[in-house]
Amino acid sequence: MDFISKNLPYLLAGISVGGQYALIAIGYTMVYGILRLINFAHGDIFTVAALVLVYSSTIMPLYLSIPLTLVATVVLGLVVERVAYKPLRNAPRMSVMISAIGVSYLLQNLALYITGGLAQTYPAIPIISNTIKIGPATTKIVTVVTPVLTIVLVFALMQLINHTKIGMAMRSVANDFETSRLMGIKVDNIISMTFVIGSFLAAVGSLLYFTNYASVVPTSGAMPGLKAFVAAVFGGIGSIPGAVIGAFIIGICENIIKGLGWTTFSDAFTFALLIVILIVKPTGLFGEKATDKV
Amino acid sequence: MLKVNDLKVNYGGIEAVKGISFEVPEKSIVTLIGANGAGKSTTLRSIVSLVKPSNGKIEFLGEDITGRDTNDIVAKGITLVPEGRKIFPDLTVLENLKIGAYMRKDNLTEDLNWVYDLFPRLKERHWQAGGTLSGGEQQMLAVARALMSRPKLIMMDEPSLGLAPLIVQGIFEIIKEINKQGVTILLIEQNANMALRTADIGYVMETGNITLTGSGKELLVNEQVRAAYLGK
Ligand SMILES: Nc1ncnc2c1ncn2[C@@H]1O[C@H](COP(=O)(O)OP(=O)(O)OP(=O)(O)O)[C@@H](O)[C@H]1O
Ligand SMILES: [Mg+2]
């Protein structure tokens, strides 16, 4: 009993942060699945979402600023794709990668410029910021809401991908651009669609993640963004279920390590895991064989 | 139906197609034969705008379609069975067929039955991932997928490549059958003998130029063709 009451808060926190990582990781994995590109800017889009809420909530009520945050993040994802990746569609993959790194630094610097590097108070979103008691543990409602919402969103996404016409088009574009064009598919629109979905989920993840924090600095999103990326690689980049499972595993392990009193090592664990998986099974838990796209 | 006039295509300075002109009349079977690298695939790819021609005009049903977006051209009723089949390996057979009808919004049941009638093998295997089909089955799927768009003109790039003689014969039977049902066909073939026997009109392509034209039968007995492509 004592053991449970001591570790339950960490387990709950782990499941919750795992869900938040999962929402970010899906964006990495979907874009990789379709473009074979690691979208380094994705973690920064997550941070920008937090700042959009910070600033918009000072001039409008939350019931407006939350939808605005979702929309603005989606638009940002789309703009990044159109401006930085689309013109490089036929360029070597390395060029696109470098462009992604460029966008990442641009967004980071923009955030630094706008915030002046100062911590910005993150607004308390009603209901999910309230605390509840689960057995012996006291936690914010967001801790419970996150895994449920994550699972609902992932389920909806899997339905979209596996059982709708647009999902079928997404899978065919992931296989082969040119043949998809021959089917009459507007490949660029399908690619945009994956950025819309990825950015939307990152914005939802951002709302949930930062509810646990009182303030945001321009670098606040870097660590969760990086961990979500590790989760995507761990699960097998390109695979959505892989990214989600990887994210939950990382979130839970990290917090259990904190529970054991080794907080200092919890981040190191994640990256050690990345190194181990890259050595032992480079394709990740559910990754496809490392076939190069033709 | 399809009129190609003075078509030129460059790949980074190298001219792969050097100003060819040809026609595909409605309801006919036309074949384009020629050695490796003659520019046959390039010609078909430029008709559906997968590569942009540097010169020339492509007309379909009286309308200029040169350089239009691929999806516009497909919507007008042209489809290409690409070289090397290019089915979607991660989609099931049924999904491959449905994606062939991506541009259409009407009910597909009738068309599915139509292609399943032509290729009963695909019906048996409709749940299987495209990538797990045998080469011949993949070729059938590629043709069936193209038919699902209800094309007016179907272009096929070496449909018999790498198939056993019996299956090749089957594919040609299907080509004739599809044609009988009113679909116009533009066929590229290495198997010149079969192609010329099946076709109403043949064109011979050599290093980017059309060097000979005639009915299928005429070309079959032409000395040059016999020497170069029929090995006689
Ligand atoms: N993407 C490309 N980039 C550069 N050159 C190309 C490209 N595609 C084709 N070529 C060149 O254009 C010429 C014509 O190629 P094409 O594929 O049209 O020939 P083909 O007649 O279809 O030959 P095959 O019978 O071998 O399929 C060849 O010399 C080929 O090397
Ligand atoms: Mg060819």
Side-chain angles (χ1 to χ4, degrees):
Chain A
M1 201 58 220
D2 192 41
F3 179 80
I4 292 175
S5 64
K6 242 176 72 188
N7 288 288
L8 187 65
Y10 292 103
L11 186 63
L12 285 174
I15 293 171
S16 176
V17 81
Q20 289 148 8
Y21 292 164
L23 292 173
I24 316 171
I26 291 170
Y28 278 113
T29 220
M30 279 181 80
V31 166
Y32 183 86
I34 229 155
L35 285 182
R36 301 297 184 272
L37 162 75
I38 291 166
N39 180 13
F40 288 105
H42 190 60
D44 304 288
I45 285 175
F46 170 79
T47 314
V48 170
L51 293 174
V52 172
L53 188 75
V54 164
Y55 287 107
S56 62
S57 64
T58 61
I59 52 169
M60 58 180 84
L62 276 174
Y63 66 82
L64 289 179
S65 61
I66 290 175
L68 177 79
T69 301
L70 297 174
V71 172
T73 311
V74 164
V75 171
L76 178 64
L78 272 176
V79 168
V80 166
E81 198 280 315
R82 280 288 142 105
V83 174
Y85 306 149
K86 190 181 166 203
L88 297 171
R89 203 72 90 217
N90 299 317
R93 220 178 298 164
M94 189 56 83
S95 314
V96 195
M97 194 102 105
I98 291 165
S99 183
I101 294 171
V103 174
S104 170
Y105 277 106
L106 177 71
L107 292 178
Q108 278 172 31
N109 280 287
L110 214 59
L112 191 64
Y113 177 74
I114 290 171
T115 59
L118 302 172
Q120 306 291 321
T121 311
Y122 198 77
I125 301 172
I127 307 174
I128 61 170
S129 300
N130 299 347
T131 52
I132 50 161
K133 268 184 88 69
I134 300 171
T138 310
T139 180
K140 284 189 177 182
I141 291 183
V142 69
T143 312
V144 190
V145 167
T146 299
V148 176
L149 189 60
T150 303
I151 288 165
V152 168
L153 288 172
V154 169
F155 180 77
L157 180 60
M158 294 311 286
Q159 290 298 313
L160 176 84
I161 289 177
N162 290 323
H163 301 292
T164 67
K165 194 167 169 180
I166 188 140
M168 198 161 74
M170 290 169 91
R171 284 180 288 140
S172 70
V173 171
N175 270 173
D176 180 347
F177 282 7
E178 195 167 85
T179 311
S180 298
R181 283 203 182 95
L182 275 180
M183 304 295 115
I185 297 170
K186 292 179 180 160
V187 168
D188 287 329
N189 291 2
I190 297 293
I191 292 170
S192 295
M193 185 75 192
T194 61
F195 278 82
V196 166
I197 294 172
S199 307
F200 173 79
L201 294 177
V204 174
S206 168
L207 292 173
L208 299 170
Y209 181 85
F210 286 104
T211 290
N212 286 317
Y213 296 86
S215 62
V216 188
V217 291
T219 51
S220 299
M223 202 43 116
L226 205 53
K227 285 179 181 162
F229 170 65
V230 175
V233 174
F234 180 52
I237 195 148
S239 155
I240 292 173
V244 173
I245 291 169
F248 276 111
I249 291 177
I250 287 177
I252 292 169
C253 289
E254 198 178 87
N255 275 278
I256 287 188
I257 290 173
K258 283 184 191 163
L260 295 172
W262 299 331
T263 306
T264 356
F265 299 109
S266 76
D267 289 345
F269 160 79
T270 308
F271 300 107
L273 186 69
L274 176 66
I275 294 168
V276 171
I277 194 89
L278 286 177
I279 293 169
V280 178
K281 198 167 184 295
T283 55
L285 293 178
F286 300 91
E288 51 187 57
K289 282 249 162 54
T291 47
D292 244 332
K293 205 176 178 200
V294 281
Chain B
M1 180 178 228
L2 181 78
K3 270 191 203 157
V4 173
N5 197 7
D6 199 23
L7 178 75
K8 292 183 186 164
V9 185
N10 293 323
Y11 289 115
I14 301 160
E15 205 161 56
V17 176
K18 302 173 181 163
I20 61 167
S21 303
F22 66 96
E23 273 186 46
V24 181
E26 192 143 11
K27 308 249 190 287
S28 62
I29 301 181
V30 174
T31 187
L32 207 57
I33 59 172
N36 293 123
K40 307 179 298 294
S41 299
T42 304
T43 303
L44 295 199
R45 289 161 54 78
S46 63
I47 292 171
V48 287
S49 240
L50 288 178
V51 290
K52 306 284 176 212
S54 57
N55 181 64
K57 188 169 172 190
I58 301 162
E59 252 180 64
F60 182 62
L61 296 170
E63 198 180 337
D64 185 359
I65 57 162
T66 324
R68 293 269 199 94
D69 284 348
T70 302
N71 59 296
D72 282 345
I73 296 171
V74 174
K76 296 213 178 308
I78 304 183
T79 183
L80 169 65
V81 181
E83 191 168 24
R85 301 160 195 145
K86 300 286 173 67
I87 55 143
F88 298 109
D90 295 340
L91 269 57
T92 65
V93 168
L94 179 59
E95 285 174 333
N96 266 283
L97 294 173
K98 283 185 176 165
I99 205 97
Y102 185 78
M103 302 286 281
R104 296 176 39 193
K105 293 189 172 61
D106 48 335
N107 193 301
L108 301 180
T109 321
E110 204 179 301
D111 303 78
L112 281 173
N113 287 336
W114 175 42
V115 299
Y116 282 155
D117 271 351
L118 290 170
F119 305 101
R121 186 74 73 89
L122 296 181
K123 187 173 189 175
E124 288 165 30
R125 306 190 164 271
H126 70 271
W127 50 268
Q128 204 170 316
T132 62
L133 294 178
S134 79
E137 289 165 348
Q138 290 191 11
Q139 189 62 61
M140 295 174 198
L141 181 56
V143 175
R145 180 181 65 181
L147 289 174
M148 287 299 290
S149 68
R150 283 267 172 192
K152 299 188 179 93
L153 168 66
I154 181 167
M155 306 193 290
M156 302 191 201
D157 197 338
E158 303 196 27
S160 72
L161 191 74
L163 301 182
L166 206 64
I167 312 235
V168 173
Q169 216 143 53
I171 291 271
F172 275 92
E173 288 307 315
I174 297 275
I175 291 173
K176 282 187 237 171
E177 175 63 32
I178 298 167
N179 180 248
K180 231 182 264 166
Q181 299 187 13
V183 184
T184 310
I185 290 165
L186 174 55
L187 176 69
I188 288 185
E189 263 303 334
Q190 291 287 340
N191 191 332
N193 185 19
M194 280 287 245
L196 291 173
R197 265 173 220 247
T198 314
D200 304 312
I201 304 169
Y203 292 91
V204 178
M205 236 182 134
E206 271 169 44
T207 55
N209 291 301
I210 289 182
T211 52
L212 271 176
T213 313
S215 73
K217 289 196 190 70
E218 280 165 15
L219 292 179
L220 263 178
V221 296
N222 180 295
E223 287 301 324
Q224 279 166 276
V225 175
R226 286 168 66 91
Y229 304 105
L230 302 172
K232 283 164 195 160

